[in-house]
């Protein structure tokens, strides 16, 4: 394809994207396809001869759009928001168009330096400590793995340069809670700690937040047992209920025992744009690393996850592919991002953030986040005030965990009379909503029972949409009992 052919096709594609985005509110939220429906519409073999651009574009409408759950829909209340604001889409397109190769500073100086500056803008916008440095990773799962590897090397005094974990005398242990994201256990497994050495610290039964006293006790027991406590992963906004582990009470314990403290704020990090929400990370200056996803609520197109560390020199020493392990980041004049994470080749991901911040501006982003927090408060307060509805976890952010509790299944005192029937009821009304295509919510397990998460924060979701989903919840929950 020549630049002139690209120009013509590209204009058509931009028009198509704009039309598609305008049409999203009229589409079913949950994809109405069955397994195999999409693949069946594609030929088994790749085309032999080149096709017309317009026939490819037509297949976006015919095959692709019906095969997508509409995450940008105003009635999307599933998992977590995964906004893709159009200003950042432009930055992503520019990044692809530039075709830059980020393997060293020299291969694309602007790729490195725009990332350094934008990541620091984001640090300032979220109030993180001045000396912290960061990089953009694909996902919070990768960022967590990188942090856990840094923790492993701190605890083992750079065992990677010797026999690795295989030559360690004492098992290294990691602490988190059962509410931490599955990527934490995955990182612990992949980093070679072994699942036997992942400790699930008790949580407060009402808030689902880590109990610092229980963490301390587990560490002390492990020390007596001959283990070496290596890291604690604190969740600021768990995926299930957006529980907030008490960071300020956990940091002294981590410091006292020399543990690496990683903060997973994948979802909640966006809230740090709001000064009134910075309490979420009280104590952060005593932590070692923090990861969060602009690609969730903030609205930067997937994939954009920020990992900040207090001591970049340590990270570089762990991740460096150069044999000179003692080299520090300040030795050279430039940042080599290949030494800040796992991949060598990196995309120009900073552009989508750069475009978004410059084109939308932080104030408009803050206004949207405040809107969503207020809408979640409205839903929680309304549900609390409605007979037979219960809000099952504190609402600190934009996610509300709800259950419809009919009187014959749950007593007025809150005792569950028939758990199996309650679960069946919850799944029935939630699945009915999702199957209808009118809205999407996520059933999820909490304390061994099904609840329904209503996660507010799609870019297009206004209070009227939250009112509409609340009406739908009541209709479907009532309807399934008839
Ligand atoms: C979404 C989420 C993750 C994983 O994010 P990815 O970027 O999809 O890997 C990790 N932790 C929490 C708390 C999350 O909400």
């Amino acid at each position: 394809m020549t630049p002139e052919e690209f120009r013509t096709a590209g204009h058509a594609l931009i028009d198509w994207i704009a039309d598609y985005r305008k049409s999203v509110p009229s589409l079913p939220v949950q994809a109405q396809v069955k397994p195999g429906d999409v693949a069946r519409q594609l030929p088994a073999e790749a085309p032999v001869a080149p096709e017309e651009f317009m026939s490819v574009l037509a297949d976006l409408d015919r095959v692709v759009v019906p095969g997508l759950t509409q995450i940008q829909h105003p009635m999307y209340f599933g998992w977590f928001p995964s906004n893709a604001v159009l200003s950042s889409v432009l930055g992503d397109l520019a990044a692809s168009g530039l075709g830059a190769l980020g393997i060293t500073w020299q291969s694309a100086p602007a790729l490195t330096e725009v990332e350094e500056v934008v990541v620091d803008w984001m640090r300032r916008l979220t109030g993180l400590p001045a000396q912290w440095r960061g990089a953009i990773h694909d996902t919070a799962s990768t960022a967590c793995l990188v942090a856990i590897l840094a923790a492993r090397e701190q605890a083992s005094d750079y065992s990677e340069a010797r026999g690795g974990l295989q030559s360690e005398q004492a098992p290294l242990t990691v602490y988190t809670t059962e509410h931490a994201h599955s990527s934490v256990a995955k990182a612990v497994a992949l980093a070679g700690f072994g699942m036997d050495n992942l400790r699930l610290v008790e949580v407060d039964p009402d808030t689902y937040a880590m109990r610092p006293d229980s963490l301390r006790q587990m560490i002390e027991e492990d020390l007596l047992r001959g283990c070496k406590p290596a890291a604690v992963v604190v969740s600021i906004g768990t995926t299930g209920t957006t529980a907030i582990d008490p960071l300020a009470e956990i940091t002294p314990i981590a410091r006292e025992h020399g543990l690496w403290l990683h903060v997973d704020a994948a979802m909640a990090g966006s809230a740090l744009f709001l000064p009134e929400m910075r309490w979420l990370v009280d104590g952060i200056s005593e932590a070692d690393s923090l990861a969060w996803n602009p690609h969730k609520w903030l609205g930067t197109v997937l994939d954009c996850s920020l990992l900040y560390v207090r001591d970049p020199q340590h990270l570089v020493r762990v991740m460096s592919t150069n044999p000179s392990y003692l080299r520090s980041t300040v030795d050279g004049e430039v940042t080599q991002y290949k030494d800040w994470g796992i991949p060598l080749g990196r995309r120009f991901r900073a552009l989508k953030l750069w475009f978004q911040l410059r084109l939308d501006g932080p104030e408009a982003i803050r206004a949207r986040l405040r809107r969503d927090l207020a809408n979640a408060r409205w839903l929680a307060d309304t549900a609390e005030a409605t007979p037979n509805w219960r809000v099952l976890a504190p609402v600190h952010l934009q996610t509300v965990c709800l259950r419809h509790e009919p009187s014959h299944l749950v007593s007025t005192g809150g005792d569950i009379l028939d758990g199996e029937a309650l679960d069946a009821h919850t799944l029935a009304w939630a699945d009915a909503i999702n199957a209808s295509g009118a809205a999407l919510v996520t059933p999820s397990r909490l304390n061994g029972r099904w609840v329904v998460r209503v996660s507010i924060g799609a870019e297009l979701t206004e209070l009227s949409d939250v009112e509409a989903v609340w009406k739908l919840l009541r209709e479907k929950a009532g309807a399934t009992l008839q």
Side-chain angles (χ1 to χ4, degrees):
M1 180 173 270
T2 65
E4 284 313 318
E5 288 164 345
F6 175 81
R7 187 189 310 280
T8 309
H11 283 160
L13 179 63
I14 295 286
D15 281 343
W16 184 88
I17 294 172
D19 288 341
Y20 162 69
R21 284 300 183 97
K22 283 200 330 209
S23 77
V24 163
S26 65
L27 299 173
V29 188
Q30 180 164 278
Q32 306 283 299
V33 293
K34 294 187 188 53
D37 281 355
V38 174
R40 246 191 311 280
Q41 297 181 71
L42 305 178
E45 304 269 356
V48 179
E51 296 182 50
E52 289 301 318
F53 180 69
M54 283 309 173
S55 75
V56 179
L57 201 53
D59 280 352
L60 287 183
D61 282 317
R62 188 179 64 89
V63 182
V64 174
V65 169
L68 290 177
T69 291
Q70 303 298 332
I71 304 297
Q72 309 308 321
H73 197 291
M75 293 294 278
Y76 167 74
F77 301 97
W79 306 290
F80 272 146
S82 184
N83 291 316
V85 302
L86 288 169
S87 54
S88 99
V89 171
L90 286 176
D92 208 29
L93 289 172
S96 293
L98 286 165
L101 172 62
I103 51 173
T104 65
W105 177 86
Q106 191 64 61
S107 74
L111 185 152
T112 298
E113 296 192 8
V114 172
E115 181 163 334
E116 281 187 284
V117 170
V118 171
V119 167
D120 202 56
W121 285 0
M122 294 295 278
R123 180 192 61 73
R124 289 165 190 264
L125 284 166
T126 50
L128 294 178
Q131 65 286 8
W132 284 37
R133 293 291 171 269
I136 304 177
H137 295 258
D138 54 1
T139 60
S141 303
T142 301
C144 183
L145 175 60
V146 169
I148 288 293
L149 292 170
R152 184 190 73 192
E153 293 308 298
Q154 176 181 274
S156 66
D157 191 24
Y158 303 97
S159 67
E160 65 176 10
R162 306 183 308 272
L165 278 193
Q166 304 196 65
S167 64
E168 286 300 294
Q169 302 297 311
L172 269 52
T173 48
V174 180
Y175 305 80
T176 194
T177 74
E178 63 167 309
H179 295 273
H181 190 265
S182 57
S183 56
V184 176
K186 189 168 181 172
V188 167
L190 295 180
F193 288 85
M195 293 301 284
D196 286 351
N197 298 310
L198 178 63
R199 303 280 185 263
L200 298 180
V201 180
E202 252 180 71
V203 297
D204 180 289
D206 297 320
T207 65
Y208 307 106
M210 184 184 286
R211 287 184 46 180
D213 55 338
S214 167
L215 171 65
R216 179 184 292 283
Q217 192 187 339
M218 273 184 142
I219 291 173
E220 284 166 4
E221 282 167 9
D222 277 330
L223 286 168
L224 287 176
R225 222 181 262 141
C227 299
K228 187 164 185 9
V232 52
V233 179
V234 166
S235 305
I236 301 297
T238 57
T239 314
T241 70
T242 64
I244 315 290
D245 291 342
L247 181 60
E249 293 171 57
I250 294 169
T251 48
I253 303 170
R255 286 279 79 82
E256 182 184 331
H257 292 287
L259 273 70
W260 183 282
L261 195 158
H262 176 62
V263 177
D264 176 5
M267 168 65 206
S270 298
L272 302 179
F273 259 55
L274 306 176
E276 68 270 27
M277 294 300 287
R278 301 260 170 85
W279 61 268
L280 287 170
V281 291
D282 276 351
I284 190 64
S285 59
E286 293 298 310
D288 293 286
S289 53
L290 176 144
W292 74 278
N293 286 347
H295 72 224
K296 281 184 169 164
W297 191 15
L298 198 81
T300 318
V301 188
L302 249 172
D303 46 358
C304 187
S305 184
L306 293 166
L307 173 63
Y308 290 93
V309 292
R310 189 158 57 112
D311 180 2
Q313 294 192 24
H314 170 70
L315 181 65
V316 167
R317 182 167 169 187
V318 172
M319 293 285 150
S320 177
T321 44
N322 303 323
S324 49
Y325 286 108
L326 296 177
R327 180 184 152 279
S328 83
T329 51
V330 288
D331 283 351
E333 282 175 71
V334 298
T335 297
Q336 300 287 14
Y337 275 130
K338 70 179 172 59
D339 297 335
W340 289 59
I342 293 165
L344 172 62
R346 306 174 84 248
R347 300 183 70 233
F348 204 155
R349 287 202 188 92
L351 278 186
K352 53 193 176 192
L353 260 179
W354 197 49
F355 272 51
Q356 183 185 356
L357 291 173
R358 294 183 63 186
L359 296 173
D360 294 352
E363 220 23 74
I365 296 172
R366 287 190 198 102
R368 173 165 59 81
L369 301 176
R370 289 192 176 110
R371 172 199 68 180
D372 297 340
L373 290 171
N375 287 348
R377 252 306 16 113
W378 177 86
L379 179 62
D381 291 346
T382 306
E384 279 290 3
T386 306
N388 298 120
W389 284 87
R390 189 185 303 277
V391 175
L392 292 121
V395 178
H396 298 296
L397 292 166
Q398 40 55 266
T399 301
V400 184
C401 293
L402 292 168
R403 191 159 55 207
H404 180 240
E405 300 186 338
S407 314
H408 68 284
L409 298 177
V410 181
S411 76
T412 34
D415 293 327
I416 295 176
L417 306 174
D418 185 341
E420 296 294 311
L422 182 62
D423 275 351
H425 173 57
T426 305
L427 286 178
W429 66 257
D431 290 346
I433 288 174
N434 293 346
S436 77
L440 187 82
V441 295
T442 312
S444 141
R445 304 278 286 184
L446 185 63
N447 284 343
R449 290 281 162 232
W450 287 101
V451 305
V452 173
R453 291 167 72 266
V454 180
S455 193
I456 294 165
E459 185 189 8
L460 296 180
T461 303
E462 298 291 346
L463 179 58
S464 55
D465 301 298
V466 181
E467 288 168 348
V469 79
W470 171 237
K471 185 158 175 275
L472 201 58
L473 293 176
R474 278 174 305 153
E475 275 168 21
K476 296 289 184 192
T480 60
L481 288 175
Q482 285 158 15

